[in-house]
Amino acid sequence: MPQTLAVEFFAPGVRLITLQRPQALNALNTQLLSELAAELADAQADDGTRAVVLTGSRKAFAAGADINEMAERNLVGILNDPRQAAWQAITHFNKPLIAAVNGFALGGGCELAMHADIIIAGEDARFGQPEINLGIMPGAGGTQRLLRAVGKSMAMQMVLTGEPIGARHAQRAGLVSEVTQPEFTVERALHIARNIAGKAPLAVRLAKEALLKAMDTDLASGLRFERHAFTVLAGTRDRDEGIRAFQEKRTPTFTGQ
Ligand code: CAA
């Protein structure tokens, strides 16, 4: 049983993971990151899980890496940091992941939110990379994913000053897709997750993979991957079912085949 997470299941096929280290504003220590990685591995292996929502508390999605734990690690400790394996597992999660962010999403917390495919933010959410204030810099994708999400000027400003931005600002910049009242953030994320969970799983998986390719490949390679994925889906039963259901004016029943 995880000690730092709560896990709930919603039909059809949605898993809600809530970070729970309130005493440290959900700071990401080794235990929390390892438990999160294990939970995502479980969700990935479970055919019944079609989408995952990740959230924190009203005050903090996550306030970054656990600074007290960081204080105990020297250079050798960082080179052999067990949290790296956890971050890798989170990075390679291949089902839809939606972050419902209220309050602080700072440092590793902002980086964790950026691992999600979709970010829904409460209007009081604050996104920032304050590592520079500690004499360090982002180390879990913060320079790379933030720049791709908000562009060079905004990413430079955030990373070099450490100043956070609010939810509306983050939405205008492209980091967040929707802003809600804080009490509805999780509900809205669950609604989107349920919608995605009803789609054909193979199409969802390949569409996610193709969209992520656009972040790290050139256009010609990305288009080749898209064409290949599109062709693979042409041979699936779910494609036949989707088209037949349209013609018969009914809701499709997808089986993942
Ligand atoms: N690590 C460990 N503990 C943390 C923490 C963190 N990142 N963030 C907050 N806490 C703890 C505080 O120490 C405090 O504990 P005590 O009650 O025992 O003193 C508790 O959580 C509540 O925090 P505050 O009293 O500070 O709450 P606040 O509302 O006054 O301020 C805050 C909130 C602005 C988020 C402030 O806590 C803060 O600046 N936290 C640090 C944010 C930060 O620098 N994050 C980046 C970390 S480095 C990183 O993330 C690198 C990486 O991943 C690669």
Side-chain angles (χ1 to χ4, degrees):
M1 279 288 286
Q3 310 287 305
T4 59
L5 310 172
V7 184
E8 295 164 78
F9 296 85
F10 297 84
V14 174
R15 197 180 287 218
L16 171 65
I17 303 175
T18 305
L19 307 182
Q20 284 189 334
R21 280 194 80 213
Q23 72 281 15
L25 302 185
N26 292 331
L28 307 170
N29 65 357
T30 303
Q31 184 184 9
L32 187 152
L33 279 174
S34 304
E35 290 184 351
L36 178 58
E39 193 58 37
L40 290 177
D42 189 75
Q44 186 151 310
D46 173 23
D47 287 343
T49 299
R50 302 278 179 88
V52 173
V53 173
L54 178 63
T55 195
S57 69
R58 281 289 288 276
K59 176 156 185 189
F61 176 73
D66 188 304
I67 298 172
N68 299 323
E69 201 181 56
M70 281 169 68
E72 292 161 10
R73 286 219 167 88
N74 58 15
L75 181 58
V76 175
I78 286 168
L79 291 172
N80 300 306
D81 192 343
R83 293 173 306 175
Q84 290 307 321
W87 278 112
Q88 282 302 315
I90 297 165
T91 303
H92 292 114
F93 182 62
N94 69 2
K95 294 183 179 179
L97 181 63
I98 303 173
V101 177
N102 284 321
F104 297 110
L106 301 178
C110 186
E111 291 169 310
L112 179 60
M114 289 192 290
H115 275 71
D117 303 307
I118 299 170
I119 304 178
I120 306 299
E123 49 198 11
D124 63 353
R126 310 276 296 158
F127 295 86
Q129 299 291 161
E131 290 89 342
I132 205 85
N133 298 324
L134 301 172
I136 54 172
M137 60 174 277
T143 58
Q144 303 304 300
R145 291 196 179 87
L146 188 66
L147 187 137
R148 283 164 170 79
V150 305
K152 177 184 163 191
S153 183
M154 178 63 60
M156 284 281 184
Q157 189 170 330
M158 289 172 70
V159 171
L160 299 185
T161 68
E163 292 282 327
I165 59 171
R168 298 266 173 219
H169 196 158
Q171 187 186 28
R172 282 197 302 279
L175 180 60
V176 156
S177 58
E178 284 184 29
V179 177
T180 66
Q181 289 174 12
E183 57 272 37
F184 298 127
T185 315
V186 174
E187 200 176 302
R188 178 64 189 145
L190 284 171
H191 181 83
I192 294 167
R194 282 197 197 95
N195 180 339
I196 295 170
K199 312 295 184 202
L202 287 171
V204 167
R205 179 166 340 148
L206 286 177
K208 167 171 170 163
E209 205 176 331
L211 284 159
L212 289 178
K213 276 265 181 288
M215 303 244 285
D216 63 8
T217 194
D218 61 278
L219 181 60
S221 310
L223 289 173
R224 260 198 309 279
F225 181 85
E226 182 190 83
R227 191 70 216 163
H228 174 71
F230 184 80
T231 309
V232 167
L233 292 175
T236 63
R237 287 198 192 151
D238 279 347
R239 175 196 185 259
D240 297 342
E241 167 62 6
I243 291 175
R244 203 176 315 114
F246 173 80
Q247 292 171 332
E248 294 169 1
K249 302 190 187 307
R250 61 175 173 80
T251 307
T253 305
F254 294 120
T255 59
Q257 293 174 302

